[in-house]
């Protein structure tokens, strides 16, 4: 799956398939990421779920205690902190009965250098655990940040 994703990402970076509303949502999530607390002082990650062109939930990666859904989809037993994608799903469950017409957006920023205070765009491809959750909740469209723009998964 990962090899397929990497080759698919290269194609999507070459052809601009991201729509204007997607760019607006990703820019909003970037601002949210920059203004949150960093995870392990290394990166900041936010995720959002849109339904009918409206952002209905925002999730944040954090060092706080995990949630049963995170334990269920965690990539390993050491995945103690909640992932932004899972947090966004947890919050969206309150508003949706089905995720079949939603889009999941994920944005990550990281420090450019060890002692640098500025944040730059970074790769935010969902981890294997979050990918399992995305498949189980049948989220059909995923857009995430990349060092050189945005990537949409099929």
């Amino acid at each position: 799956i990962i090899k397929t994703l990497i080759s698919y990402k290269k194609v999507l970076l070459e052809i601009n398939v991201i729509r204007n509303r997607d760019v607006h949502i990703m820019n909003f999530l970037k601002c949210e990421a920059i203004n949150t607390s960093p995870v392990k002082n290394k990166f900041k990650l936010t995720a959002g779920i849109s339904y009918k062109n409206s952002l209905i939930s925002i999730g944040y990666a954090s060092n706080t205690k995990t949630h049963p859904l995170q334990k269920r989809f965690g990539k390993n037993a050491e995945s103690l902190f909640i992932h932004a994608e899972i947090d966004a799903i947890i919050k969206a469950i309150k508003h949706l009965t089905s995720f079949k017409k939603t889009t999941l957006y994920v944005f990550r920023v990281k420090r450019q250098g060890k002692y640098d205070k500025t944040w730059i765009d970074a790769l935010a491809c969902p981890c294997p655990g979050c990918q399992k959750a995305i498949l189980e909740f049948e989220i059909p469209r995923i857009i995430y940040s990349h060092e050189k723009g945005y990537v949409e998964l099929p």
Side-chain angles (χ1 to χ4, degrees):
I1 291 175
I2 299 298
K3 288 180 182 177
T4 305
L5 292 177
I6 291 170
S7 62
Y8 189 73
K9 284 189 269 186
K10 288 178 184 175
V11 171
L12 285 173
L13 288 172
E14 293 171 9
I15 56 171
N16 191 6
V17 296
I18 307 297
R19 298 176 212 138
N20 275 342
R21 81 159 184 267
D22 297 327
V23 172
H24 291 299
I25 290 172
M26 290 298 279
N27 286 336
F28 172 77
L29 290 174
K30 178 180 182 175
C31 291
E32 285 290 304
I34 289 170
N35 291 318
T36 63
S37 299
V39 176
K40 299 180 183 177
N41 207 24
K42 294 180 182 177
F43 65 90
K44 300 179 180 191
L45 196 88
T46 57
I49 294 180
S50 73
Y51 176 73
K52 293 185 177 178
N53 298 325
S54 295
L55 199 58
I56 60 164
S57 74
I58 301 171
Y60 303 92
S62 69
N63 290 320
T64 59
K65 280 194 171 183
T66 192
H67 184 277
L69 220 67
Q70 181 64 45
K71 286 184 182 179
R72 182 171 158 199
F73 295 110
K75 62 182 177 181
N76 57 48
E78 288 77 41
S79 291
L80 299 177
F81 66 90
I82 193 157
H83 292 203
E85 299 94 317
I86 299 297
D87 193 33
I89 290 170
I90 291 165
K91 292 174 181 174
I93 287 172
K94 299 172 187 174
H95 306 286
L96 297 172
T97 56
S98 170
F99 285 79
K100 290 184 179 181
K101 294 182 181 180
T102 62
T103 300
L104 172 69
Y105 300 88
V106 188
F107 204 100
R108 180 179 183 212
V109 293
K110 66 179 182 177
R111 294 198 189 276
Q112 190 164 1
K114 188 174 181 178
Y115 301 104
D116 200 338
K117 294 192 182 216
T118 59
W119 296 94
I120 60 169
D121 297 0
L123 179 63
C125 183
C127 72
C130 290
Q131 289 177 19
K132 282 191 272 183
I134 290 164
L135 288 173
E136 185 162 317
F137 282 94
E138 298 178 329
I139 299 172
R141 191 164 177 253
I142 300 97
I143 297 175
Y144 61 90
S145 64
H146 186 275
E147 291 89 356
K148 296 178 180 169
Y150 309 124
V151 177
E152 179 176 356
L153 292 178

